[in-house]
Amino acid sequence: MLTRDDCRRLDREDPLATLRGEFELPDGILYLDGNSLGPLPRAARARALQVLEREWAQGLIRSWNEAGWFALPARLGDRLAPLLGANPGEVVVTDSTSVNLFKVLAAALRLRGDRKAIVSERDGFPTDLYITQGLAGFLGQGHELRLVDDADELPQALGEDAAVLLLNHVHYRTGAMHDMAAMTARAHACGALMVWDLAHSVGAVPVDLNGARADFAVGSTYKYLNAGPGAPAFLLVSARHQAAAVQPLSGWWGHAAPFAMRSGFQPAPGIARFLCGTQPILSLVLVECGLEVFERTDMAAVRAKSLALSDLFIQLVEARCAGRGLELVTPRAHARRGSQVSLRHEHGYPIMQALIARGVIGDYREPHILRFGFAPLYVRYVDVWDAVEQLRDILDSDAWRAPAFQARRAVT
Amino acid sequence: MLTRDDCRRLDREDPLATLRGEFELPDGILYLDGNSLGPLPRAARARALQVLEREWAQGLIRSWNEAGWFALPARLGDRLAPLLGANPGEVVVTDSTSVNLFKVLAAALRLRGDRKAIVSERDGFPTDLYITQGLAGFLGQGHELRLVDDADELPQALGEDAAVLLLNHVHYRTGAMHDMAAMTARAHACGALMVWDLAHSVGAVPVDLNGARADFAVGSTYKYLNAGPGAPAFLLVSARHQAAAVQPLSGWWGHAAPFAMRSGFQPAPGIARFLCGTQPILSLVLVECGLEVFERTDMAAVRAKSLALSDLFIQLVEARCAGRGLELVTPRAHARRGSQVSLRHEHGYPIMQALIARGVIGDYREPHILRFGFAPLYVRYVDVWDAVEQLRDILDSDAWRAPAFQARRAVT
């Protein structure tokens, strides 16, 4: 049986071990929630001060040119593209994931003309479904949100009226991962366009959007990409759609001549037509500090460690917390697993609060799900060991029954 | 005739003079472009470091609750409300002005059912018209963007089919200001809803949206409110519309139960239904540093100094730059003037570049317009004197003819 010393040995042998030093992590905390908010890259403080003191305070309005603010969404998109299996000119960093999803869904629906069905999973990321509902309801053109209860039902759901298949690459709650190439091919087989939400996969698993011939994608930068709380999100439009794809949030930044101040909108020729209004520069700039860390490794190495960490967690939970009411939700098969492991327990909420009170930070999702994210850039094997030991102790001691752990917080 | 010493005396007597110390302004620069990007409030550096080091690095995901991130859009909206003549619960700070305009226009069109005309000015802020075009085109329900060439034509344009009147309170190029109460009453008289874009007025002139019975408003925080480059914008929905107004960008933050993870969207009961996706916390937090400065004065004092500065500028330009091809574009009447003065000159672009090269930062807008913004919190009377002297010398010396000043920059 594995011991804590074995975990320490795995850390010593870990080729990614030095990257942990690129992040500021609080003392006494085991952080297993990088799938929700990544930690601060050490480079971010200096970069933020540079924006505040040099670019904003000293440069003032001149920094739109001289500090390259205007070029940021496309420049960051190009730098992110390799993590998506995309080419330069196919990605921008801008707005929120929800706003970006609205844009790409709207563009996809228009490209597919009279097809009226948007196919997705009932259990998908709720805000993606909310955005889809908002868009369809607003269009008032008879679009239908066709939700399947299981991916096995997709073949029937993808009929000749299907305009779009919208899927989460990795499921936010279960950690289950779709086969990107297979699902994209399925959408295309019926003539639908494929929209991927990569929020819970980018930076944690290899993504090859162009290899899969995906049409559109969106995702967030503040989870595994460590860009900072609420940092602007990204969107991808495949190069083959850019000339024809138009989206309704047609603000100045997406104009072909944004400073000509003409009264008629003319979309920019490339991916820039998916930009809209002025972006929050300070939050946007820090996206780069997160991306820089990824350029010191590669996604194959990240994936290998991610699977090793989550395998270890599953193994330890099953060996050391057996018979304590925990049920594995995440698929065991590597090909079906993202970079998080979810466990179901009847008292999941107070158990997670008790863990957090002991400095083991995962999170809770309705219903009854404890989520543990394994971000390979900074999570150690010994962290996995220690987290499982804390979990076991909390279950054995009934520590989670304390009244303080029952009350729901505003943000869960 | 006024002298430079007179200007220095005005500065000594200025009741707002001490507020200049709340901002970091670069040495050797006369900054007359706060109508485009306000300067750094001194408090912003410490606040940014607090977010980076304490809230993000140490607090990590817990800061959504413990640092109040989730409450920020509404809390900042409440703090901004007095500058808008609005009540708590009517304003949120979120997204970009363009995205917010899309939301409120969409909500207004739905409230006005079968009315199909969106009335605005052909010469209005271009991105507002782009967004309106994008929305109308996307709806495909026969909405018409009815543009008038002059405000005098509004009575004819506002027929029984008018759903919305969309106006810029202060015009971005000319600095001309609309009578908010009169224009709102005109919209209401025909049954239309009134949408104000306050980007070029909030923080520079008193705004009384509720006094005027305005229905919706949007605006930016990074101009006269000094929130930082591209900081999230604001929107107002009058309390009397909030129960019925819905908007299509229905993301998780606008849900009645954002953490229940239900698959159906249910809009939040109040202004929160106009939120959408996750916000860029670092840029959002700094909005507060800008607002704090306004709480040390009042808009009557700000307005008095604004008019004194722009009166002085007009007087000095006419006295000291007469016969040099400059033409006043901004209205002389106080009731019709915002807080900027625009001058037309055949060679406006290179003249502005020559001014900037000498450290007098205004900006240029097509066609042929030199813009000078007078932000009363930090612009001095002596700055006005010195700017006019530089302008005169550039015109007299033909300094603007240097080749370096002819080439257009990426961002103008």
Side-chain angles (χ1 to χ4, degrees), chain B residues 31-178:
Chain B
Y31 195 58
L32 305 179
D33 207 11
N35 48 318
S36 195
L37 174 64
L40 176 74
R42 284 196 192 280
R45 184 193 284 100
R47 190 72 184 87
L49 287 174
Q50 180 188 340
V51 173
L52 289 174
E53 296 173 354
R54 228 161 57 207
E55 299 180 9
W56 179 8
Q58 297 295 313
L60 288 161
I61 194 69
R62 298 169 291 191
S63 289
W64 279 100
N65 286 299
E66 292 168 16
W69 289 349
F70 186 65
L72 273 171
R75 189 165 66 78
L76 294 171
D78 286 351
R79 201 150 180 189
L80 171 59
L83 294 184
L84 305 178
N87 292 320
E90 292 187 307
V91 183
V92 280
V93 178
T94 190
D95 292 325
S96 67
T97 309
S98 296
V99 167
N100 287 338
L101 182 60
F102 189 91
K103 295 178 202 165
V104 302
L105 280 177
L109 291 184
R110 178 162 288 199
L111 284 173
R112 277 302 171 262
D114 287 341
R115 290 172 171 242
K116 296 295 184 192
I118 305 161
V119 180
S120 196
E121 294 179 289
R122 192 178 310 283
D123 195 31
F125 199 43
T127 195
D128 290 0
L129 301 182
Y130 303 158
I131 287 288
T132 309
Q133 288 165 27
L135 175 64
F138 199 71
L139 281 172
Q141 294 166 12
H143 286 94
E144 171 201 356
L145 179 52
R146 184 176 297 162
L147 300 176
V148 301
D149 290 310
D150 190 287
D152 294 344
E153 300 167 22
L154 285 174
Q156 300 104 285
L158 287 164
E160 288 184 358
D161 61 346
V164 172
L165 175 59
L166 164 65
L167 291 175
N168 304 104
H169 188 205
V170 170
H171 193 276
Y172 77 103
R173 200 180 61 244
T174 66
M177 182 165 69
H178 278 302

Side-chain angles (χ1 to χ4, degrees), chain A residues 160-353:
Chain A
E160 287 186 359
D161 61 345
V164 172
L165 174 59
L166 164 65
L167 291 175
N168 303 106
H169 187 203
V170 171
H171 193 276
Y172 78 103
R173 199 181 59 243
T174 66
M177 182 165 69
H178 277 302
D179 180 333
M180 180 173 277
M183 287 294 166
T184 304
R186 188 166 287 180
H188 289 172
C190 84
L193 293 167
M194 184 72 225
V195 178
W196 285 105
D197 181 342
L198 307 174
H200 295 87
S201 66
V202 62
V205 300
V207 174
D208 188 5
L209 287 166
N210 280 345
R213 292 189 58 77
D215 302 289
F216 299 92
V218 299
S220 77
T221 62
Y222 53 80
K223 299 177 187 279
Y224 292 110
L225 296 180
N226 310 309
F234 65 85
L235 69 83
L236 167 137
V237 180
S238 163
R240 67 185 182 279
H241 292 308
Q242 287 181 11
V246 291
Q247 56 92 11
L249 289 164
S250 48
W252 73 274
W253 212 327
H255 197 288
F259 304 101
M261 299 285 175
R262 295 182 199 131
S263 64
F265 185 76
Q266 181 71 35
I271 186 72
R273 61 176 55 188
F274 278 75
L275 301 176
C276 179
T278 307
Q279 290 302 297
I281 297 299
L282 186 56
S283 287
L284 185 59
V285 159
L286 299 194
V287 174
E288 196 147 40
C289 301
L291 293 178
E292 282 162 2
V293 183
F294 282 93
E295 291 169 6
R296 299 184 50 191
T297 179
D298 63 78
M299 287 308 298
V302 169
R303 176 64 168 163
K305 182 175 174 190
S306 161
L307 288 170
L309 289 167
S310 53
D311 276 345
L312 174 65
F313 183 76
I314 293 170
Q315 179 188 349
L316 290 175
V317 165
E318 295 187 335
R320 303 180 66 83
C321 301
R324 290 169 177 84
L326 291 168
E327 178 193 350
L328 180 66
V329 172
T330 304
R332 281 175 204 277
H334 284 181
R336 290 275 292 132
R337 191 196 306 163
S339 198
Q340 76 183 58
V341 176
S342 300
L343 304 173
R344 188 180 291 114
H345 191 287
E346 187 188 352
H347 303 292
Y349 186 84
I351 291 169
M352 181 52 73
Q353 303 318 306

Side-chain angles (χ1 to χ4, degrees), chain B residues 259-336:
Chain B
F259 304 101
M261 299 286 174
R262 294 181 200 132
S263 64
F265 185 77
Q266 181 70 37
I271 186 72
R273 61 177 54 187
F274 279 75
L275 301 175
C276 179
T278 308
Q279 291 301 297
I281 297 298
L282 186 55
S283 288
L284 184 60
V285 159
L286 299 194
V287 173
E288 196 148 39
C289 301
L291 293 177
E292 282 162 2
V293 183
F294 282 93
E295 291 169 5
R296 299 183 49 191
T297 178
D298 63 77
M299 286 308 299
V302 169
R303 177 63 169 164
K305 183 175 173 191
S306 162
L307 288 170
L309 289 167
S310 55
D311 276 344
L312 175 64
F313 183 77
I314 293 169
Q315 179 189 348
L316 289 175
V317 165
E318 294 187 337
R320 302 181 67 84
C321 302
R324 289 168 177 84
L326 291 167
E327 179 193 350
L328 180 67
V329 173
T330 304
R332 282 174 203 277
H334 285 181
R336 290 275 292 132

Side-chain angles (χ1 to χ4, degrees), chain B residues 170-244:
Chain B
V170 170
H171 193 276
Y172 77 103
R173 200 180 61 244
T174 66
M177 182 165 69
H178 278 302
D179 180 332
M180 180 172 279
M183 287 295 166
T184 304
R186 188 167 289 180
H188 289 172
C190 84
L193 293 167
M194 184 72 224
V195 177
W196 285 105
D197 181 342
L198 306 174
H200 294 89
S201 66
V202 62
V205 301
V207 173
D208 188 4
L209 287 166
N210 279 344
R213 292 189 58 77
D215 302 290
F216 299 93
V218 298
S220 76
T221 61
Y222 55 79
K223 298 175 188 280
Y224 293 110
L225 296 180
N226 310 308
F234 64 86
L235 69 81
L236 167 136
V237 179
S238 164
R240 66 185 182 279
H241 293 307
Q242 286 180 11

Side-chain angles (χ1 to χ4, degrees), chain A residues 109-123:
Chain A
L109 291 184
R110 178 163 287 200
L111 284 173
R112 278 301 171 263
D114 287 341
R115 290 171 171 242
K116 297 295 185 193
I118 305 162
V119 180
S120 196
E121 294 179 289
R122 191 178 310 284
D123 195 31

